[in-house]
Amino acid sequence: MAHHVSGLGISPTSMDPRSHITDIFVFRSPGDADRTILVMCINPHSPITADAVDSESVYEFGVDNDGDAVNDVAFRVRFSPVAGDSQSASVQLATGRGPAADVEAGETIIADAPVTFGAKPEITAVGDFRFFAGLRSDPFFADPIGAGNNFQWTGQDFFADKNVFGIVLEVPNSVLGPDPQVGVWARVLVPHDGRLVQGDRAGRPGIDNNFNHSDDDKRVWNQQEPVKDRELFLDKFAHIFEHGGYPKDEAVTLAEGLLPDLVTYDYSSAAGSPNGRNLTDDVINEGIALLTKGAAPHDGLRPHDDLSSEFPFLGDPH
């Protein structure tokens, strides 16, 4: 199911749910064709843990704007420790392949933004950027019990009453690059042996959970960058499609369409998935239809009705 249960506890550098990405969303800002919304949902255990995010980790959106699956732009979010009932966040922007690869590079575009602990979102606007971080209702909708029972759907949305920690950033399209067709992914860099390493990553929904079945594959996958995806995983992904009934050549073509694992997004278009991903896109049924050649029935679920029409768009926490 999406990325909610993929990889958590598999990698020694991502045992902490605060370092776990559940979903990312990329879509045109409603009412403004010149701006894009980036959403990263963290921590499927929110608010069970004392702190929803890790102040020693870096939460990053990466953007490839020339089609080589290497970051050309990076937005890096860092959080202060929780002190009393408050916490703050800063956002760095690194532009260019070199700075985007250097976790310490970039300019601070948002500093000391308040993190929202209550229901009313605290929004920070600086220049062309808007930012939100805090506990929110999980926008993901799915029936994992039915999916695990050979698509015998229960009709129950497991995530309807769940929360996540949401990081939402509104950016001008011009920062993403001159070509409107880009690839976006998210990762969490976590402290390990005195340095920051990649502990978790997410792109298209459902990729890690549905295609990487062994602990070793999950470990390698979550610690590598998209540029290596085809080299290391194309044959394994194609085999999954073959197992679903596709002939070998078609299976390879489908696997190539999923790798590298980036959310493909054309910011000149407001269309949803597979162009970016809206909060209301029915990505689970899209993915199941692809994997089963349309054999599985629709699960009957619909997007959550607590989404907001205004920034930061995620619903109030439960």
Side-chain angles (χ1 to χ4, degrees):
M1 294 294 97
H3 199 72
H4 277 74
V5 294
S6 63
L8 182 61
I10 294 299
S11 166
T13 60
S14 60
M15 296 291 286
D16 190 336
R18 299 176 302 170
S19 302
H20 180 67
I21 305 169
T22 63
D23 284 293
I24 71 166
F25 302 85
V26 184
F27 54 93
R28 179 190 282 184
S29 181
D32 192 341
D34 294 326
R35 306 174 73 78
T36 288
I37 305 296
L38 305 173
V39 180
M40 185 190 315
C41 294
I42 302 293
N43 192 347
H45 293 179
S46 298
I48 297 172
T49 52
D51 302 328
V53 286
D54 177 25
S55 62
E56 296 185 356
S57 295
V58 176
Y59 300 82
E60 180 181 283
F61 295 101
V63 181
D64 164 36
N65 60 26
D66 59 8
D68 63 0
V70 176
N71 281 354
D72 301 292
V73 180
F75 300 94
R76 301 189 179 105
V77 183
R78 291 176 167 88
F79 294 90
S80 72
V82 175
D85 293 326
S86 66
Q87 186 178 29
S88 64
S90 64
V91 184
Q92 281 184 313
L93 168 60
T95 304
R97 179 173 295 192
D102 181 356
V103 71
E104 300 302 331
E107 62 172 321
T108 298
I109 56 174
I110 295 174
D112 301 323
V115 171
T116 298
F117 288 162
K120 184 179 180 180
E122 298 186 68
I123 298 167
T124 301
V126 178
D128 291 330
F129 301 92
R130 281 200 294 177
F131 175 79
F132 166 86
L135 193 66
R136 292 283 97 185
S137 172
D138 191 345
F140 183 61
F141 54 102
D143 178 3
I145 295 174
N149 188 28
N150 197 30
F151 308 117
Q152 301 299 307
W153 303 117
T154 69
Q156 300 298 312
D157 180 1
F158 177 81
F159 301 94
D161 62 350
K162 302 299 188 294
N163 292 324
V164 289
F165 187 93
I167 299 171
V168 187
L169 184 64
E170 184 179 61
V171 305
N173 293 339
S174 58
V175 173
L176 303 179
D179 188 334
Q181 298 185 29
V182 300
V184 183
W185 64 302
R187 66 175 178 171
V188 182
L189 298 161
V190 300
H192 183 66
D193 289 342
R195 60 192 182 97
L196 287 170
V197 300
Q198 184 174 302
D200 196 20
R201 60 178 278 204
R204 294 181 175 90
I207 296 300
D208 186 19
N209 185 55
N210 290 313
F211 287 89
N212 297 324
H213 296 162
S214 74
D215 289 1
D216 285 342
D217 280 348
K218 288 182 179 293
R219 184 179 297 108
V220 171
W221 176 266
N222 283 301
Q223 294 179 346
Q224 78 179 24
E225 298 183 16
V227 69
K228 297 182 179 180
D229 286 351
R230 286 194 176 185
E231 174 189 349
L232 298 179
F233 284 88
L234 181 62
D235 291 343
K236 293 178 180 180
F237 277 42
H239 179 72
I240 298 294
F241 281 117
E242 285 187 77
H243 184 72
Y246 291 94
K248 184 174 183 178
D249 58 343
E250 190 173 355
V252 171
T253 298
L254 289 170
E256 288 175 338
L258 293 180
L259 299 175
D261 183 25
L262 299 165
V263 178
T264 54
Y265 172 60
D266 182 343
Y267 61 66
S268 68
S269 170
S273 177
N275 179 50
R277 181 183 175 189
N278 293 320
L279 295 171
T280 56
D281 285 340
D282 192 0
V283 295
I284 289 304
N285 283 289
E286 290 175 7
I288 289 172
L290 181 65
L291 283 169
T292 65
K293 297 190 70 174
H298 194 283
D299 62 13
L301 301 182
R302 295 292 182 266
H304 294 172
D305 59 9
D306 61 357
L307 297 172
S308 173
S309 61
E310 299 179 349
F311 189 91
F313 308 107
L314 302 174
D316 291 345
H318 301 282

